Amino acid sequence: MEFLTLLYAVSALYLCFLVWRFFDQRRDQECYILDYQLYKPTNDRMLGTEFCGKIIKRTQNLGLNEYKFLLKAIVSSGIGEQTYAPRNIFEGREANPTMLDGITEMEEFFNDSIAKLLDRSAISPSEIDVLVVNISMLATIPSLSSRIINHFKLRNDVKVYNLTGMGCSASLISLDIIKNIFMSQRNKYALLVTSESLSPNWYSGNDRSMILANCLFRSGGCAILLTNKRSLKHKAKLRLKCLVRTHHGAREESYNCCVQKEDDQGRLGFYLGKNLPKAATRAFVDNLRVLSPKILPTRELIRYLVMSLIKKVKQSSAPKSSSGGGGSSTTKSPLNFKTGVDHFCLHTGGKAVIDGIGMSLDLCEYDLEPARMTLHRFGNTSASSLWYVLGYMEAKKRLRKGDRMLMISFGAGFKCNSCMWEVMNDLEDPNVWDDIIDDYPPETLTNPFLEKYSWLNDVEDPNTYELPDFLK
C-alpha cells in the first residue's frame, strides 16, 4: 500500500513538473519589443511643393497630359510637403543614380537610427544575437547586413538574415523570422532593421502606371530591438500575441499587380497595376479569415455565426426576385473588430489604401488618424511605415498598458501580413514626432500642389502655356 502511495505521489509530482516545464518554456518563447528608433532625415532632404514641381519639370519624356496626371495623383495621395527624398534627387541626378547613392542613403539611416537605439537601450552591439535586415530594392556585395556588422562590430556568431524583394510588408516578415528563432532559443536579443532604398529606383519614363511610384514613396526607416528574455518583460513596450501571413503569389492577377520592370523604352521602374485594389482586397479578406479567431472574443465569433445562420435561413425562405440588380454590394466586414482591438496601425500605402481598410473594418476617423497623419508627414516609407504610425500613437499618448494593437501591411507578391500586439507599459515616447506632434492633426490636409498647379487643368494646347517663374 505504501509503495502504491509513493508511486502515485511520484507520478503526480512528475506530472506537475511536466506542466510547469511546459508553461516555463512558453514564457521564454515570447517576443517583446524593448525599443525602436525611427529615422528622420535632415531638413535639406525635405520635399517642398516648389521643389517637387521642379523635379517633375526637369524629368524628360513628360508632356502636358503627364503633368495633369501627376497633379491629380499628388493632390489625391494624402501626402504633404514635409516628406523626405534621397540626396541624389536634390543634386539633380535621379535619372542617373550610382550604386554609391543607394549605399550612402542606407548607411545614413543605419548609422543614425541603430546608434540612437542601442545608446538609449544601453545595449552593446556585441550583445546582439540576431540581425534581420529588409531592404527590398537594393542588393549589394557585401550585403547591407554585413555593412551593419562591420560598422557596429557585431559578434562573429551573430545570426544574420538579409531580405530583398519583400515589398512594403517586409518588416512583419522579418518579425516572423525573429519570432520563430525566439521559440527555439532562449535569452536572445534581436535587431530588426527595415527601410527602402529610393536612390537607384527613380523612374524617368512616361508610363503612368510607373510614374505613380515616384509620387508615393519617400525616405524613412526604423531600427527595432527585440528580446525573449523574461527578466526584461517589465521594460518591454510591446508583446507579440500572434502574426498571420497571407501570400497570393500563385494567383496571376495578384502576382503581376506590383512588379519592378522595364517599360517599352527600357526604362526601369516600379509598375502599379489597375487591379492592385482588387488583389489587395482578396489578400486582406483571406488574412482576416485566419486572423479573426485568434484576436476576437468568443462572444463576437458566436454573434457572427448566429447572424450568418439567420441570414442564410432568411435567404433560403425568401422568394427569389425576378428583377435584376437593385442591391448594393459592400466590402464591410460582418465582424466587429473593435471588440478585440483597441488601436489600428495601418500601412500608409496611400489615401485609397487607408480609406479601403477603414471601410472594410468599419473604423472611425479616430482609428484612421495615425495612418493619415503619418502619410501626410512622412509619406509611404514602404516597410517602415507601420512603425511611424506606431510612433504617432505613442507620441499622442494613446497606448496604455493592456491595450491591444493590430498592425496590417500589404506588399508586392501579392502579400497581406498582420499581427497583434499587447501594450506592456504606458507608452509616451514621441520619437521623431517630438517637435511636430502638437501640430497634428492640422486644420486641413489639402495639398499645396492644388493651389500652385491647378492652372494646368485649364491648359488645352501644350504649345501655348507658359511656366511660372519658380519653375523656369
Side-chain angles (χ1 to χ4, degrees):
M1 189 67 180
E2 292 181 357
F3 174 76
L4 288 177
T5 302
L6 180 62
L7 181 63
Y8 290 148
V10 171
S11 300
L13 289 173
Y14 182 67
L15 180 62
C16 292
F17 169 74
L18 292 177
V19 172
W20 173 82
R21 190 173 67 173
F22 172 76
F23 285 104
D24 184 64
Q25 287 178 341
R26 285 184 62 88
R27 287 195 296 178
D28 284 330
Q29 294 174 350
E30 298 286 3
C31 181
Y32 300 105
I33 288 183
L34 288 179
D35 203 357
Y36 63 98
Q37 178 61 51
L38 299 166
Y39 177 55
K40 183 191 287 186
T42 53
N43 288 339
D44 61 339
R45 291 173 55 186
M46 190 175 290
L47 288 171
T49 300
E50 291 187 9
F51 183 71
C52 287
K54 292 179 180 179
I55 297 173
I56 295 172
K57 175 61 178 64
R58 76 187 181 209
T59 302
Q60 299 178 0
N61 308 308
L62 298 184
L64 180 61
N65 291 333
E66 285 78 21
Y67 291 156
K68 290 182 178 181
F69 170 77
L70 286 171
L71 172 64
K72 182 179 179 181
I74 294 174
V75 168
S76 61
S77 68
I79 296 177
E81 57 176 349
Q82 291 184 307
T83 57
Y84 302 95
R87 293 193 183 280
N88 66 327
I89 290 181
F90 292 90
E91 296 170 2
R93 297 186 295 102
E94 65 274 5
N96 300 289
T98 65
M99 175 67 78
L100 183 60
D101 288 328
I103 294 174
T104 300
E105 178 189 11
M106 290 297 94
E107 288 186 339
E108 284 186 2
F109 153 57
F110 294 157
N111 298 347
D112 177 83
S113 296
I114 296 177
K116 289 179 179 176
L117 175 66
L118 296 179
D119 182 64
R120 190 168 63 240
S121 305
I123 299 294
S124 167
S126 61
E127 295 181 75
I128 300 298
D129 303 288
V130 181
L131 172 65
V132 184
V133 179
N134 63 257
I135 311 294
S136 288
M137 299 176 70
L138 178 66
T140 68
I141 299 176
S143 66
L144 294 172
S145 55
S146 293
R147 294 177 185 276
I148 293 175
I149 292 171
N150 176 263
H151 180 81
F152 290 97
K153 308 305 177 188
L154 272 61
R155 298 199 316 265
N156 58 10
D157 64 342
V158 62
K159 300 299 183 291
V160 185
Y161 300 83
N162 197 86
L163 307 183
T164 61
M166 293 291 104
C168 297
S169 61
S171 64
L172 296 194
I173 297 173
S174 301
L175 179 66
D176 193 30
I177 292 174
I178 293 172
K179 181 198 74 169
N180 290 329
I181 293 174
F182 282 176
M183 291 183 69
S184 59
Q185 301 181 35
R186 295 188 178 192
N187 297 320
K188 300 297 180 182
Y189 283 115
L191 178 62
L192 193 166
V193 181
T194 176
S195 183
E196 188 57 271
S197 176
L198 303 184
S199 296
N201 294 294
W202 178 268
Y203 175 63
S204 57
N206 56 6
D207 187 319
R208 294 188 180 186
S209 297
M210 299 171 77
I211 294 175
L212 198 56
N214 291 347
C215 303
L216 295 177
F217 291 101
R218 297 292 189 268
S219 294
C222 184
I224 308 163
L225 182 65
L226 304 101
T227 189
N228 61 350
K229 293 188 177 185
R230 193 190 319 169
S231 60
L232 297 177
K233 177 180 178 180
H234 66 287
K235 293 184 178 181
K237 287 177 176 279
L238 302 167
R239 178 168 70 100
L240 183 64
K241 301 285 287 183
C242 67
L243 190 151
V244 175
R245 293 169 56 182
T246 302
H247 203 307
H248 278 187
R251 297 173 180 255
E252 290 300 323
E253 257 193 340
S254 300
Y255 176 79
N256 291 309
C257 69
C258 296
V259 182
Q260 186 182 24
K261 66 176 186 177
E262 296 172 336
D263 65 11
D264 295 336
Q265 285 74 43
R267 302 184 184 94
L268 186 64
F270 195 70
Y271 168 82
L272 301 174
K274 292 182 179 179
N275 60 332
L276 176 57
K278 185 177 180 181
T281 300
R282 283 178 175 174
F284 187 38
V285 170
D286 283 357
N287 188 273
L288 290 183
R289 188 175 291 118
V290 178
L291 178 70
S292 300
K294 298 176 181 290
I295 66 173
L296 295 182
T298 304
R299 66 179 186 277
E300 175 60 20
L301 298 175
I302 293 175
R303 184 197 67 81
Y304 166 70
L305 291 174
V306 171
M307 295 302 294
S308 298
L309 181 61
I310 294 174
K311 185 177 180 180
K312 286 183 178 180
V313 171
K314 287 183 178 180
Q315 287 178 343
S316 61
S317 61
K320 294 183 179 180
S321 175
S322 59
S323 60
S328 60
S329 62
T330 178
T331 58
K332 178 181 174 182
S333 172
L335 290 165
N336 181 7
F337 277 82
K338 290 189 177 182
T339 59
V341 182
D342 300 300
H343 309 282
F344 295 84
C345 187
L346 311 179
H347 171 52
T348 59
K351 184 176 181 297
V353 173
I354 298 172
D355 290 342
I357 298 176
M359 182 182 299
S360 298
L361 301 184
D362 195 24
L363 304 182
C364 63
E365 279 304 311
Y366 177 84
D367 299 318
L368 300 178
E369 179 187 309
R372 291 199 196 283
M373 298 307 108
T374 299
L375 178 64
H376 182 268
R377 177 59 182 84
F378 291 98
N380 179 357
T381 57
S382 189
S384 64
S385 65
L386 287 172
W387 308 98
Y388 286 89
V389 180
L390 172 63
Y392 181 89
M393 293 180 183
E394 187 171 354
K396 283 292 185 181
K397 302 180 181 180
R398 291 189 177 192
L399 303 177
R400 297 295 153 199
K401 184 177 181 179
D403 286 355
R404 296 153 298 179
M405 179 186 64
L406 176 63
M407 282 185 170
I408 301 172
S409 66
F410 298 91
F414 190 85
K415 302 181 285 291
C416 176
N417 298 328
S418 61
C419 66
M420 173 74 89
W421 295 97
E422 177 188 355
V423 181
M424 300 300 291
N425 292 288
D426 294 349
L427 304 183
E428 299 181 354
D429 180 10
N431 216 292
V432 295
W433 291 91
D434 54 352
D435 60 339
I436 53 176
I437 192 62
D438 292 335
D439 299 328
Y440 280 84
E443 294 181 3
T444 177
L445 295 179
T446 302
N447 196 297
F449 263 85
L450 186 61
E451 179 182 349
K452 285 186 175 291
Y453 302 109
S454 59
W455 53 271
L456 280 169
N457 294 322
D458 300 325
V459 178
E460 296 182 0
D461 186 351
N463 298 315
T464 60
Y465 72 94
E466 182 176 353
L467 293 173
D469 292 336
F470 64 83
L471 284 182
K472 294 181 179 177

